Amino acid sequence: MADTWDNVTIPEFNSLLQMDPYLKQYEKDFRRRYGLFEKRLFLLEEAEGGFDQFTRSYRTFGVNRMADNRLVLREWAPAAEALFLTGDFNGWDNFSHPYEKKEFGKWELCLPPKHDKSPAIEHNTKLKVVVHTKKGERLYRISPWAKYAIQTEKQVIYDWVHWDPPQPYLHIHPRPKKPQSLRIYESHVGIASPDPKVASYTNFTTNVLPRIKDLGYNCIQLMAVMEHAYYASFGYQVTSFFAASSRYGTPEELKQLIDTAHSLDIVVLLDVVHSHASQNTEDGLNSFDGSDSCFFHSPPRGEHALWGSRLFNYSSWEVLRFLLSNLRWWMEEYRFDGFRFDGVTSMMYHHHGIGSMFSGDYSEYFGLQVDEDSLVYLMTANHVLHTLYPDCITIAEDVSGMPAVCRSVAEGGLGFDYRLAMAIPDKWIQSLVGDKSLAFWLMDKEMYTNMSSLIPMTPVIDRGIQLHKMIRLLTHALGGEGYLNFMGNEFGHPEWLDFPRKGNNESYHYARRQYNLLDTDHLRYRQLYDFDRDMNRTEDKYGWLAAPPAFVSAKHEGDKVIVFERGNVLFLLNFHPTRSQTNYRVAVASPGKYTIKLDSDEVQYGGHGRLDHNTEFFTEPQPFNERDNSMLVYIPCRTALILGNDDTESCY
């Protein structure tokens, strides 16, 4: 059977091999994956007339209003015996509105308009699908395609609400162009306020977007938008895939948030969860038609042992329709600019990464442990997104190091634009959910009493302030091709993040971001904020994130000095706690006059102001550390500097 893939041609596979010749021995695996992907596209063309219509299935499934105000309702429930619609519109009659059974497990119901020509189901009224199973059970379900769901006070279960506003929000602003350098502000709308409550989309639009723009971030990654019944799941136990979470406001308010971001030239990514789904039945996808499968594999394959959630059957035609249409929905209806795909490691392997250390041996990424259905889904998703939206940005959350995740599908890759460098934060701290922030690891309880600039810095605060800036700049410049900051960390947010739950008496104390700390001028949080802002603005000018990888000319353990070049600028970091480096020779490629472009030791950033910014550094044609030129510099202790060559200023 394996030989049937020998005739498969991967159009640009040689480009992949040029980059990594070691992948040649796994050519058959790549051919098989690409062959399965090609077959999937062919079948889509043959059965559905191509992926354009197929991925717009939200126009035919769920509830859709026609031009004459007829309502057409369609569901996929292959194991159901009968389906009925009930709700406010029919006085909650469980039998008056039966669906008609169609082929391939589909069910359909048409509702003519009322006598006054208005739709039979009014906007903002409640509905349920009543599922009769072959066992004789009667189940009450939310449509998998529901566009809005709410939790009534004191109720645990979410209600499906028909959302069809008479005056929907109309986007005014065009999508911004895809940034060359991606500087991401990772955000959670619900915690985006100092108040101990769930914050709103409108609060984010009014109070947070201006800060993000001022800070120089050009991309927002919104987490916990897809509806999830359990707030403390951080949005990763999704119950309604097409519904924007109602706990922050209405769908129209989310659209306004994204439109306003676009007006500020900021792109917005959705943290999309297609790796698993909540096991909730009454307000989730689980057991929608009464079976243990439907959208998922039957247990045990369809259950995640650690997450307690359901796993999609990516080989199913209707699951493919559901998930690809879900991506299209968020792009079209809300005008998101791309996605961060959650849990990609779990998707790609049958073992879901559980108990696997991923040593980097290539045999770990091929063979029977790989879930090729998932790989083909991801290839298809990226192909569809990048074909329909050339500027779409996709990011994979993968910790395994799977080769070719970020190579094009035409090369045999999965087609992502970026992969999250998950191991880099762990170089500094074990960055776990609920763990202390970087600033709190550095300064801990002294942040409660000693962050005022009206008093001298204690040794702990001095060390913490300086290292916080240095760690962030080093990560920004050396970490990869994009930079991601979680909201609040730019100004050294204290303490940790913890959502209300039984274990903390449902407290919101740690489920908020204390932006009010910035509004008190004499607190040093403003100094860290200003450094983060100017770091981003300096990157915007020189574009090191879009430049080739850095050339590191020095990493001196004794001196605690790191020197590297990237994006036509020179980075100098002196981590030594006490020793400033005077007349310190550093290597540089381009000859000329260098001046200071960013200095973490400036007083406005909480530094000690030990450098004269009028200083000019001139190179000498003296080879040093594998570079043709070098120069003598002064680097104060615990200071990070960026020097630019005034003779070859970047035109980025």
Side-chain angles (χ1 to χ4, degrees):
M1 182 66 185
D3 293 336
T4 59
W5 306 112
D6 289 348
N7 296 326
V8 171
T9 301
I10 306 173
E12 298 169 25
F13 189 56
N14 284 338
S15 299
L16 182 64
L17 293 183
Q18 281 178 343
M19 179 170 286
D20 190 348
Y22 289 104
L23 292 174
K24 177 70 176 174
Q25 63 179 307
Y26 300 103
E27 184 170 356
K28 273 194 174 181
D29 293 81
F30 280 103
R31 284 183 188 274
R32 186 172 61 253
R33 293 174 188 177
Y34 193 82
L36 291 167
F37 161 73
E38 273 191 321
K39 184 179 178 184
R40 178 65 52 88
L41 284 190
F42 173 77
L43 290 173
L44 277 174
E45 197 68 46
E46 194 175 52
E48 303 279 349
F51 61 71
D52 188 19
Q53 285 304 112
F54 185 69
T55 58
R56 288 183 189 266
S57 291
Y58 49 81
R59 291 181 171 180
T60 50
F61 281 75
V63 184
N64 285 282
R65 179 165 52 85
M66 303 295 107
D68 62 358
N69 277 352
R70 272 184 312 125
L71 294 177
V72 178
L73 298 90
R74 187 178 284 118
E75 300 294 347
W76 177 64
E81 185 69 23
L83 251 64
F84 296 86
L85 185 71
T86 189
D88 291 332
F89 80 102
N90 69 357
W92 294 96
D93 188 319
N94 288 337
F95 299 99
S96 61
H97 288 81
Y99 285 72
E100 184 184 345
K101 190 171 187 177
K102 301 289 186 180
E103 59 181 354
F104 308 121
K106 293 169 188 168
W107 300 81
E108 195 173 285
L109 170 62
C110 291
L111 297 177
K114 294 192 278 193
H115 293 304
D116 62 2
K117 305 298 184 191
S118 65
I121 303 172
E122 292 180 12
H123 164 64
N124 213 16
T125 59
K126 293 179 182 178
L127 296 169
K128 288 274 189 192
V129 176
V130 185
V131 179
H132 289 236
T133 71
K134 290 182 171 63
K135 294 178 184 174
E137 299 168 298
R138 187 194 303 170
L139 309 173
Y140 295 89
R141 296 289 187 252
I142 291 178
S143 168
W145 303 80
K147 301 177 178 74
Y148 194 53
I150 62 167
Q151 188 179 35
T152 308
E153 197 175 344
K154 294 184 179 176
Q155 269 197 318
V156 176
I157 305 298
Y158 269 67
D159 288 316
W160 172 22
V161 172
H162 178 54
W163 191 260
D164 186 16
Q167 294 178 309
Y169 184 85
L170 298 175
H171 294 269
I172 303 166
H173 303 283
R175 297 181 193 271
K177 287 184 178 176
K178 182 178 179 178
Q180 285 183 277
S181 291
L182 203 59
R183 302 183 297 273
I184 303 175
Y185 196 83
E186 185 181 18
S187 304
H188 185 297
V189 169
I191 66 169
S193 144
D195 302 321
K197 64 177 186 180
V198 178
S200 67
Y201 294 124
T202 303
N203 165 74
F204 195 93
T205 303
T206 306
N207 298 318
V208 184
L209 282 182
R211 295 188 193 272
I212 297 172
K213 177 64 175 176
D214 180 58
L215 281 161
Y217 291 95
N218 55 20
C219 178
I220 298 167
Q221 181 177 301
L222 281 184
M223 62 189 296
V225 167
M226 302 167 79
E227 190 59 89
H228 49 292
Y230 184 41
Y231 189 46
S233 73
F234 286 74
Y236 294 120
Q237 297 265 346
V238 174
T239 44
S240 289
F241 282 72
F242 287 80
S245 183
S246 60
R247 53 169 58 88
Y248 320 125
T250 68
E252 311 313 298
E253 288 162 347
L254 173 57
K255 291 173 189 175
Q256 184 178 29
L257 186 163
I258 294 168
D259 199 26
T260 307
H262 287 169
S263 77
L264 299 172
D265 214 26
I266 296 171
V267 297
V268 188
L269 308 182
L270 176 70
D271 196 343
V272 74
V273 186
H274 282 183
S275 47
H276 65 134
S278 167
Q279 64 178 343
N280 288 20
T281 53
E282 288 190 62
D283 54 8
L285 283 186
N286 190 17
S287 189
F288 173 67
D289 63 356
S291 73
D292 64 1
S293 52
C294 198
F295 289 93
F296 311 107
H297 289 289
S298 295
R301 186 178 176 185
E303 293 179 334
H304 196 291
L306 291 185
W307 297 345
S309 52
R310 297 304 313 267
L311 300 175
F312 286 105
N313 177 1
Y314 301 104
S315 65
S316 162
W317 193 258
E318 293 304 320
V319 171
L320 190 68
R321 180 196 304 278
F322 181 78
L323 294 177
L324 291 179
S325 296
N326 189 235
L327 297 173
R328 192 84 189 271
W329 166 256
W330 293 109
M331 293 293 288
E332 290 284 335
E333 184 72 10
Y334 289 91
R335 294 183 66 80
F336 278 96
D337 301 288
F339 302 95
R340 178 264 203 187
F341 281 74
D342 173 68
V344 169
T345 305
S346 173
M347 294 173 72
M348 293 192 299
Y349 306 95
H350 290 296
H351 54 63
H352 309 299
I354 299 170
S356 179
M357 297 305 292
F358 292 114
S359 66
D361 188 298
Y362 273 15
S363 64
E364 296 170 341
Y365 307 118
F366 302 94
L368 295 177
Q369 68 266 38
V370 175
D371 187 337
E372 291 191 329
D373 292 339
S374 298
L375 294 188
V376 172
Y377 166 67
L378 292 170
M379 292 167 77
T380 308
N382 275 308
H383 173 75
V384 167
L385 287 170
H386 289 105
T387 302
L388 294 171
Y389 314 98
D391 276 358
C392 178
I393 298 166
T394 60
I395 302 172
E397 188 218 9
D398 170 43
V399 298
S400 73
M402 165 77 78
V405 164
C406 294
R407 303 309 300 172
S408 71
V409 175
E411 288 181 33
L414 297 190
F416 285 97
D417 298 294
Y418 298 90
R419 183 183 73 88
L420 278 177
M422 305 286 284
I424 290 179
D426 289 344
K427 293 286 185 187
W428 304 113
I429 55 174
Q430 285 301 103
S431 51
L432 303 169
V433 170
D435 193 9
K436 293 190 289 190
S437 69
L438 176 62
F440 211 61
W441 269 114
L442 289 167
M443 296 175 275
D444 209 79
K445 63 181 183 294
E446 288 210 16
M447 296 188 79
Y448 295 126
T449 54
N450 296 329
M451 285 296 278
S452 171
S453 59
L454 303 178
I455 59 172
M457 280 192 282
T458 65
V460 168
I461 295 295
D462 189 5
R463 174 181 179 271
I465 292 276
Q466 311 320 325
L467 288 180
H468 193 270
K469 294 175 290 187
M470 296 181 73
I471 286 169
R472 290 173 68 82
L473 179 60
L474 184 63
T475 305
H476 203 304
L478 209 54
E481 289 76 50
Y483 179 74
L484 184 145
N485 164 72
F486 184 76
M487 61 189 316
N489 288 348
E490 70 278 3
F491 63 83
H493 201 285
E495 302 175 323
W496 52 89
L497 193 60
D498 190 14
F499 280 70
R501 52 189 173 82
K502 283 183 181 176
N504 63 14
N505 293 320
E506 305 295 337
S507 170
Y508 285 85
H509 183 76
Y510 297 110
R512 60 195 180 108
R513 295 280 94 177
Q514 297 180 57
Y515 288 110
N516 55 303
L517 296 172
L518 292 171
D519 302 327
T520 309
D521 288 341
H522 66 79
L523 292 182
R524 295 192 183 276
Y525 299 101
R526 168 57 64 174
Q527 297 170 341
L528 294 175
Y529 175 101
D530 288 348
F531 178 77
D532 198 81
R533 176 198 64 207
D534 292 349
M535 173 174 70
N536 280 324
R537 291 180 180 181
T538 307
E539 196 288 326
D540 192 58
K541 181 176 181 181
Y542 294 100
W544 60 72
L545 287 171
F551 179 85
V552 181
S553 60
K555 40 184 177 180
H556 197 289
E557 178 60 32
D559 294 343
K560 308 296 182 195
V561 168
I562 299 171
V563 180
F564 60 93
E565 296 160 274
R566 190 178 184 193
N568 291 331
V569 287
L570 180 67
F571 295 84
L572 311 170
L573 296 100
N574 179 7
F575 281 94
H576 204 287
T578 56
R579 189 197 312 158
S580 297
Q581 303 296 351
T582 308
N583 290 329
Y584 196 79
R585 186 165 294 280
V586 295
V588 66
S590 303
K593 179 183 75 175
Y594 285 74
T595 54
I596 296 170
K597 305 302 178 187
L598 187 67
D599 168 17
S600 72
D601 196 47
E602 276 198 69
V603 173
Q604 65 163 319
Y605 306 142
H608 300 283
R610 290 168 288 183
L611 282 153
D612 179 358
H613 281 225
N614 294 316
T615 304
E616 297 173 337
F617 304 93
F618 293 92
T619 62
E620 307 167 70
Q622 180 175 333
F624 187 68
N625 285 354
E626 301 180 49
R627 286 309 211 208
D628 292 337
N629 302 284
S630 59
M631 59 186 173
L632 298 175
V633 296
Y634 167 55
I635 323 173
C637 60
R638 285 192 184 136
T639 295
L641 297 173
I642 298 177
L643 304 185
N645 188 332
D646 291 356
D647 299 335
T648 59
E649 276 280 37
S650 171
C651 297
Y652 172 75

